[in-house]
Amino acid sequence: MAQHQDHGNKSPAATAFHANVTHVEVPHTASVKPCHDCVGLGRKRCNHCYGIGRKRCAPCNGSGRQMHQGGQCPFCLGLGRNRCSSCNGHGHVICRTCNGGCELKVFHKIDHRVDSAP
Ligand SMILES: [Zn+2]
Ligand SMILES: [Zn+2]
Ligand SMILES: [Zn+2]
């Protein structure tokens, strides 16, 4: 008894099916609009410091003092806060969607599907 068991595979042909979808730009449909992600500002508020540009100093937990010795924390010089490394203290970062360009090029696309039959 060497019968092949089918484990609920309804269509065996589906596994041998390959489709390549490429996006083709439709001519004369391109336009430029303000970036929806940053509302045309080219930058976004830093998520790590919430736009403040500073973060609570982790080694002293924001107290500005060394945990055990009780002296001034060398990491934040007693301030209890450190410059945010994600935005370098600016409080904002360059928008990745438009790369800081404030605008996005939009155009209609056709899904050009190429079915390669086996
Ligand atoms: Zn930040
Ligand atoms: Zn500190
Ligand atoms: Zn943007």
Side-chain angles (χ1 to χ4, degrees):
M1 262 245 245
Q3 204 176 8
H4 206 81
Q5 240 187 339
D6 200 342
H7 291 280
N9 201 345
K10 288 173 197 163
S11 165
T15 50
F17 177 78
H18 297 287
N20 297 314
V21 179
T22 52
H23 296 294
V24 181
E25 182 179 340
V26 182
H28 311 301
T29 59
S31 61
V32 173
K33 65 167 190 173
C35 175
H36 57 87
D37 209 9
C38 61
V39 211
L41 295 172
R43 64 190 194 190
K44 292 177 74 178
R45 193 176 70 166
C46 177
N47 280 331
H48 296 268
C49 62
Y50 304 102
I52 300 162
R54 308 207 176 275
K55 289 203 294 189
R56 191 173 65 180
C57 178
C60 68
N61 206 21
S63 67
R65 296 180 185 206
Q66 283 184 302
M67 286 296 208
H68 304 293
Q69 293 91 329
Q72 190 185 67
C73 172
F75 296 97
C76 60
L77 303 174
L79 296 170
R81 287 179 166 204
N82 275 326
R83 193 173 68 172
C84 176
S85 55
S86 300
C87 60
N88 282 321
H90 296 302
H92 52 82
V93 289
I94 289 189
C95 174
R96 282 189 191 171
T97 307
C98 61
N99 250 324
C102 310
E103 291 174 330
L104 287 176
K105 189 188 173 193
V106 288
F107 49 82
H108 292 289
K109 283 181 285 190
I110 319 171
D111 286 350
H112 188 63
R113 190 166 160 148
V114 184
D115 296 340
S116 57

